[in-house]
Structure formats: structure tokens, C-alpha cells
Amino acid sequence: AQTVTQSQPEMSVQEAETVTLSCTYDTSESDYYLFWYKQPPSRQMILVIRQEAYKQQNATENRFSVNFQKAAKSFSLKISDSQLGDAAMYFCANSGGSNYKLTFGKGTLLTVNP
Amino acid sequence: NAGVTQTPKFQVLKTGQSMTLQCAQDMNHNSMYWYRQDPGMGLRLIYYSASEGTTDKGEVPNGYNVSRLNKREFSLRLESAAPSQTSVYFCASSGGTGAGNQPQHFGDGTRLSIL
């Protein structure tokens, strides 16, 4: 069984500052993947970043990076130089390599203040 | 670049009515998925189709049926709509052979209200 927990229902950050969104997970899979998706008010689900569990190196995509702590089952998202367009709901998600079930957390609503 | 296309975008039904949500992808993906998103909750998997000709239940399948019509299309049917099925429905697709192999690409969602 897979579970994903996002303990911060809401976060806020000043424009140009850095913010970290938390996520913890649990899975029985030995081979699994972790994702952060962004959902702006337009309702689209946009992939932000992806991490393979077998890779020790933390994934980065421009201003977005993760801190993947496998032993602690923690997968936090860091957004650097926050922009107004980063304001959205952010979902952490987990899937096992051998199954098709993508399990989502309940989301963190990020507000970016000018 | 259409990606994943869902129709309709909005729909209002009366309790007991039936309807089919349509989904089509043009990325030649093997796998397709239907999710529902309720306030305060993340997306929950209703049904998925790992490949053309196969379908399987996800986390919340009760009250729904699906059809993988061909590789491109995956429809979701509500036979007798209930107010508890008021939600936003997302279709997604992915390449590879499992949810983890490739990221899922999502449609824009269908907002369904059942009175």
C-alpha cells in the first residue's frame, strides 16, 4: 500500500524568496518514483519534477529542486526565487515501478506575495 | 499539441441520469487513467487501462464503468449518477509499462455536478 502525506495545507512566500514544501510517503515497493505536480487555478495538472528512488542524486529543474531522504521517506520540494506564477496547489505523488497506482497527497496551497 | 483532451469541460446532471465522459490522447501512450478530485483531497484513481484491451479498478471504482475503445480513447461512464459523484474528473495517460516508468500527462478536467 502507498500513502503520501503533505502536512502543510497552506504556505506563503514573498516574491524572490525561497520556500520548501514538505512531503512524506510510505510504500512497500522497492522500486518506486516520486513526483511533484502543480495545479494552478486553471486546474491543469503540470508535472514539476520527478525522482527515481534508486537515484541518490536529488532531481533539479531550473528553480525547482527536491531533497530526497530515502531512509526517512521524505521528499520535499524547494522553490527558489519564487515568482507570482508559482502560486498554485502543489501535490506530492508516489508510484511503484511495478504497478499503475499513482497515489497523491492532499496538496499544499502556495501563495506568492508581491 | 493537443495532448490529452477531455469532453465535456462542465456538466450538470440530475440524480439517476447517466453520462459518459470522453478522453482521447494523441501521444501514442499505452496507459490511460481516470481520477477524481474532491475538495481537500488529492486525486484518487478510479480506473486505469495499462494497455489497449485491458482495464482495472483503482482506489474508488464503485459507481463507474470504463471502456478502452482503442489505444487513443478511454471513456468513463456513470450509469446512475449520485450526488456523491459530484467532483472534478481528470483523465491522464502515460507511456512505458507502469505508472512510475513515465510521468502522467493530464487533461484539463471535467467539472461534474449532480443535483
Side-chain angles (χ1 to χ4, degrees):
Chain A
Q2 296 167 181
T3 61
V4 177
T5 302
Q6 294 179 249
S7 59
Q8 306 153 317
E10 297 183 23
M11 292 282 286
S12 64
V13 63
Q14 291 297 126
E15 195 175 5
E17 297 293 311
T18 296
V19 64
T20 298
L21 308 184
S22 300
C23 173
T24 58
Y25 64 93
D26 196 10
T27 180
S28 56
E29 298 279 340
S30 57
D31 176 26
Y32 58 91
Y33 302 80
L34 296 160
F35 305 86
W36 279 97
Y37 279 89
K38 169 185 177 181
Q39 187 178 42
S42 66
R43 206 170 65 196
Q44 284 183 301
M45 291 290 289
I46 302 165
L47 178 66
V48 175
I49 202 164
R50 172 178 181 247
Q51 174 81 42
E52 292 92 339
Y54 62 86
K55 289 187 177 179
Q56 294 188 345
Q57 186 173 4
N58 290 326
T60 62
E61 285 289 340
N62 300 314
R63 297 183 294 106
F64 298 87
S65 62
V66 299
N67 184 5
F68 175 45
Q69 301 289 326
K70 190 171 184 178
K73 295 185 176 178
S74 171
F75 182 61
S76 61
L77 175 69
K78 185 171 83 171
I79 306 173
S80 304
D81 185 25
S82 296
Q83 300 175 0
L84 296 177
D86 294 334
M89 182 73 83
Y90 285 82
F91 291 98
C92 179
N94 165 237
S95 73
S98 62
N99 71 70
Y100 294 81
K101 190 172 184 295
L102 188 59
T103 301
F104 285 84
K106 293 185 178 182
T108 296
L109 180 63
L110 178 66
T111 302
V112 180
N113 300 311
Chain B
N1 293 336
V4 179
T5 303
Q6 291 183 234
T7 55
K9 295 192 184 302
F10 303 93
Q11 185 71 48
V12 178
L13 293 178
K14 295 181 179 179
T15 297
Q17 286 185 317
S18 63
M19 83 160 294
T20 300
L21 306 184
Q22 306 288 350
C23 175
Q25 52 92 9
D26 62 2
M27 295 173 283
N28 201 34
H29 284 167
N30 290 321
S31 305
M32 298 186 73
Y33 314 83
W34 275 105
Y35 294 89
R36 61 177 289 173
Q37 182 180 26
D38 300 301
M41 311 226 8
L43 278 68
R44 292 183 292 168
L45 184 64
I46 304 171
Y47 271 93
Y48 64 93
S49 170
S51 60
E52 186 178 356
T54 68
T55 60
D56 284 287
K57 296 178 181 179
E59 184 182 353
V60 288
N62 291 344
Y64 304 95
N65 286 300
V66 290
S67 295
R68 183 74 182 267
L69 304 171
N70 48 55
K71 190 170 186 178
R72 289 186 63 248
E73 299 173 286
F74 187 40
S75 62
L76 178 71
R77 183 162 178 82
L78 288 70
E79 290 290 351
S80 179
S84 61
Q85 294 177 304
T86 293
S87 189
V88 179
Y89 291 85
F90 286 94
C91 177
S93 70
S94 67
T97 57
N101 289 358
Q102 296 291 331
Q104 295 185 17
H105 299 261
F106 287 81
D108 291 341
T110 297
R111 183 175 296 277
L112 181 62
S113 296
I114 299 163
L115 306 176

